[in-house]
């Protein structure tokens, strides 16, 4: 169902809603559209997020990965096991702590991430090409501002 189906008739129109509300709704809708461009449905969004984190950050312990993904360690253990079964990650012994392992992305995992990024960016590039140069400039500035907002610590 579309978002509009959940909005009551008494809710203020777009012009009256706060910037925070409009931005939240717009980013959620864009994120949904980008997720729809996924190249593989065999991997869950949680697994894909963990895989992307390993792609971006490099090898991590399961605990470090759980912390970065803001999930409980037992949940991350299941995610890592599934990704390992698919051949997207591998584990190796920790060099200084025999109780831990290091999880790293495999070539197959990197290929999946790169294909996923490429598909999503191709869709977004097509949509952006439909906009005026002025609108693209505004979005470029907005992207920088949104990145700063997202980087701020609470």
């Amino acid at each position: 169902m579309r978002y509009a189906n959940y909005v009551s008739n008494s809710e203020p129109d777009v012009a009256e809603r706060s910037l925070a509300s409009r931005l939240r709704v717009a980013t959620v809708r864009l994120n949904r559209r980008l997720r729809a461009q996924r190249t593989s449905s065999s991997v869950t969004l949680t697994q894909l997020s963990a895989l992307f984190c390993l792609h971006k950050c490099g090898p991590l312990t399961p605990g470090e990965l759980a912390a970065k993904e803001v999930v409980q360690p037992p949940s991350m253990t299941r995610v890592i096991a599934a990704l390992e079964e698919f051949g997207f990650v591998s584990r190796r012994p920790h060099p200084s702590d025999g109780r831990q392992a290091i999880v790293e992305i495999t070539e197959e995992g990197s290929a999946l991430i790169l294909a996923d990024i490429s598909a999503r960016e191709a869709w977004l590039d097509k949509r952006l090409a439909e906009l005026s140069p002025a609108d693209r400039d505004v979005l470029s500035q907005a992207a920088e501002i949104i990145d700063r907002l997202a980087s701020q610590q609470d």
Side-chain angles (χ1 to χ4, degrees), residues 3-54:
Y3 172 77
N5 294 341
Y6 295 107
V7 177
S8 71
N9 292 335
S10 63
E11 185 166 323
D13 68 8
V14 172
E16 294 177 13
R17 279 191 269 157
S18 72
L19 174 58
S21 177
R22 293 184 355 246
L23 186 57
R24 179 188 54 78
V25 170
T27 56
V28 166
R29 291 185 69 214
L30 179 59
N31 192 35
R32 283 184 185 146
R33 293 298 303 266
L34 289 170
R35 279 195 321 240
Q37 307 309 309
R38 290 178 54 201
T39 57
S40 173
S41 60
S42 63
V43 177
T44 68
L45 291 173
T46 302
Q47 292 165 348
L48 192 62
S49 180
L51 198 57
F52 183 79
C53 185
L54 289 169

Side-chain angles (χ1 to χ4, degrees), residues 8-120:
S8 71
N9 292 335
S10 63
E11 185 166 323
D13 68 8
V14 172
E16 294 177 13
R17 279 191 269 157
S18 72
L19 174 58
S21 177
R22 293 184 355 246
L23 186 57
R24 179 188 54 78
V25 170
T27 56
V28 166
R29 291 185 69 214
L30 179 59
N31 192 35
R32 283 184 185 146
R33 293 298 303 266
L34 289 170
R35 279 195 321 240
Q37 307 309 309
R38 290 178 54 201
T39 57
S40 173
S41 60
S42 63
V43 177
T44 68
L45 291 173
T46 302
Q47 292 165 348
L48 192 62
S49 180
L51 198 57
F52 183 79
C53 185
L54 289 169
H55 176 77
K56 180 182 171 191
C57 299
L60 299 168
T61 66
E64 291 168 334
L65 184 55
K68 286 187 179 293
E69 290 293 295
V70 193
V71 298
Q72 295 298 314
S75 297
M76 186 52 66
T77 299
R78 289 188 294 275
V79 168
I80 291 168
L83 290 172
E84 198 171 24
E85 261 186 56
F86 287 126
F88 296 143
V89 300
S90 63
R91 295 183 217 218
R92 60 180 163 82
H94 192 284
S96 62
D97 185 349
R99 299 167 297 163
Q100 293 205 53
I102 300 292
V103 180
E104 56 192 331
I105 193 168
T106 63
E107 286 184 30
E108 293 83 2
S110 289
L112 176 72
I113 289 297
L114 294 175
D116 192 77
I117 290 169
S118 179
R120 292 176 194 219

